[in-house]
Amino acid sequence: MSRFDGKVAIVTGAASGIGQEIARRLAAEGAIPVIADLNHEAAEACAAEIRSTGGDALAVAMNVVDEDAVGSGVADVMAKYGRIDVLVSNAGIQIVSPVIDLPFADWKRLLAIHLDGAFLTTKACLKPMYAARSGSIVYIGSVHSKEASKLKAPYVTAKHGLIGLSKVVAKEGAAFNVRSNVVCPGFVRTPLVDKQIPEQARELGLTEDEVISTVMLKDTVDGEFTTIDDVADAVLFFAGARSNAMTGQSMVVSHGWFMQ
């Protein structure tokens, strides 16, 4: 019997990239992933793929910065399954710009998706978790939860903020056996990163290959991108922990780019 058999796990931003792989891996371990994404059609396609392999999955349209949409999505999950065991707060975007040129609207939009989204989904999921006196929340942070890079002021700020939120949730949730942790990946070759390569090349006056080798992977031990599988391994480790020994922590998954 798997540690995740029958457990319901909401994964935000799960219609693609890291979130999709986390949902697939949870399903492979016996969990019921809820594919919560702004793109409901893509979320349904992901859920259908999981169901086609014999698992169960639910697609939910969710704009993580809309409190009503978050509440409605969580209510739909509770109505269907009656439980929420895991929340993986993964939804996010990236905007690359020097601070001096960064529009305030872009600053606010990125912080809203990363921080407001994490807060709203956490708040909604804590209610059933507290009632069940059990639950695990995993935030997808970044090496930028610990470190800074040029051109990424709102992203670095938001990812640092997730560490603080997670620590508070870990302290408040302990009385209800709810754990909270952060996984901090290095650069993962997703569409989000692929989009950044030419943007950074333009801003820094480098070739795209130079951005990869001298900016993104310069400090790794092996010159390799972090994979979505690497990230999913860490998420499942935190989500499946058997006691409160593992709470309020952050794990860096970066091929040695950042070492604690």
Side-chain angles (χ1 to χ4, degrees):
M1 178 174 171
S2 166
R3 57 194 163 154
F4 292 109
D5 278 349
K7 293 196 171 179
V8 175
I10 296 178
V11 185
T12 67
S16 63
I18 292 171
Q20 187 178 75
E21 181 63 17
I22 291 166
R24 286 175 176 150
R25 288 282 299 281
L26 283 163
E29 293 256 2
I32 302 166
V34 176
I35 317 301
D37 203 282
L38 201 56
N39 186 337
H40 187 251
E41 189 177 331
E44 185 50 60
C46 179
E49 178 199 318
I50 289 169
R51 290 194 293 266
S52 74
T53 65
D56 190 7
L58 176 69
V60 172
M62 187 180 288
N63 178 357
V64 296
V65 300
D66 181 330
E67 187 169 13
D68 290 339
V70 170
S72 174
V74 169
D76 288 348
V77 176
M78 288 300 293
K80 184 169 176 66
Y81 297 112
R83 61 190 294 170
I84 296 169
D85 301 283
V86 175
L87 166 65
V88 181
S89 177
N90 167 73
I93 61 168
Q94 179 62 280
I95 296 170
V96 175
S97 170
V99 171
I100 196 168
D101 297 327
L102 180 68
F104 187 33
D106 284 352
W107 167 272
K108 289 190 287 187
R109 183 162 66 99
L110 189 146
L111 262 63
I113 291 169
H114 287 266
L115 291 179
D116 296 354
F119 164 73
L120 289 172
T121 52
T122 297
K123 182 180 178 184
C125 289
L126 281 179
K127 292 170 185 174
M129 287 180 178
Y130 279 9
R133 302 191 71 81
S134 178
S136 179
I137 297 175
V138 183
Y139 300 96
I140 303 301
S142 167
V143 165
H144 287 113
S145 298
K146 313 274 187 177
E147 182 61 276
S149 292
K150 294 177 179 178
L151 311 178
K152 296 184 178 180
Y155 187 82
V156 171
T157 301
K159 293 303 191 183
H160 272 67
L162 288 177
I163 298 262
L165 173 62
S166 179
K167 287 179 177 180
V168 173
V169 172
K171 285 185 178 284
E172 292 182 355
F176 302 93
N177 195 34
V178 172
R179 302 180 309 284
S180 171
N181 295 285
V182 186
V183 172
C184 300
F187 283 104
V188 181
R189 201 73 190 261
T190 62
L192 199 68
V193 167
D194 281 334
K195 177 175 174 288
Q196 287 177 61
I197 294 169
E199 291 173 347
Q200 291 208 40
R202 283 194 301 273
E203 289 282 355
L204 298 172
L206 301 172
T207 68
E208 292 188 15
D209 284 345
E210 285 171 340
V211 168
I212 292 170
S213 63
T214 68
V215 178
M216 292 185 167
L217 304 181
K218 175 172 73 79
D219 293 323
T220 62
V221 296
D222 53 10
E224 296 290 338
F225 280 99
T226 301
T227 68
I228 54 177
D229 239 8
D230 295 332
V231 181
D233 284 344
V235 170
L236 267 64
F237 173 74
F238 274 144
R242 301 181 192 280
S243 79
N244 286 333
M246 198 63 66
T247 194
Q249 304 303 311
S250 54
M251 185 193 309
V252 178
V253 185
S254 71
H255 288 245
W257 165 19
F258 182 88
M259 298 184 183
Q260 293 179 294

